C-alpha cells in the first residue's frame, strides 16, 4: 500500500555499549563489556490485508554482558545475552 510503513521496522532503534579493560597481573588482563539495545514500537502486516493483517508490536530493551580474561595469547570470555 502506498505510504505504508515497512513491516517489522521501528521508527527508532539504538544501542549503547561500554567496555572496561583492566590489567590484573603482569601476565593476566581482563575486560568487562555491557551493551544496551532498544527497539521501538513497530507494525507487522498492512492495514486491510487478508494475508498479513496489521497489528502492533511493543518496544523492548535487551542488555548483554561479557566478561573476559586474557593470558599468554589466549582469551576466555563467557557472556550473557538478554540479561
Amino acid at each position: 500500500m502506498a505510504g505504508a510503513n515497512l513491516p517489522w521496522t521501528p521508527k527508532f532503534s539504538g544501542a549503547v555499549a561500554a567496555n572496561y579493560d583492566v590489567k590484573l597481573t603482569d601476565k593476566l588482563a581482563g575486560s568487562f563489556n555491557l551493551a544496551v539495545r532498544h527497539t521501538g514500537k513497530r507494525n507487522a502486516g498492512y492495514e486491510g490485508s487478508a494475508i498479513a493483517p496489521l497489528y502492533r508490536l511493543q518496544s523492548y530493551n535487551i542488555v548483554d554482558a561479557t566478561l573476559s580474561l586474557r593470558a599468554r595469547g589466549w582469551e576466555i570470555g563467557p557472556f550473557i545475552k538478554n540479561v
Side-chain angles (χ1 to χ4, degrees):
M1 301 201 142
N5 289 337
L6 189 62
W8 302 94
T9 305
K11 288 186 179 184
F12 176 79
S13 66
V16 175
N19 191 55
Y20 179 73
D21 291 321
V22 62
K23 185 176 180 181
L24 301 171
T25 67
D26 288 341
K27 297 180 181 181
L28 183 64
S31 65
F32 177 73
N33 180 277
L34 186 67
V36 179
R37 296 179 280 156
H38 172 79
T39 299
K41 292 180 182 177
R42 62 232 180 270
N43 294 328
Y46 296 98
E47 186 175 341
S49 173
I51 297 171
L54 179 64
Y55 60 94
R56 191 92 158 138
L57 299 170
Q58 294 299 315
S59 63
Y60 63 90
N61 297 309
I62 294 177
V63 178
D64 299 328
T66 304
L67 176 66
S68 63
L69 296 172
R70 294 179 302 279
R72 298 183 186 154
W74 289 86
E75 181 174 358
I76 185 169
F79 60 90
I80 300 173
K81 292 206 167 253
N82 198 12
V83 176

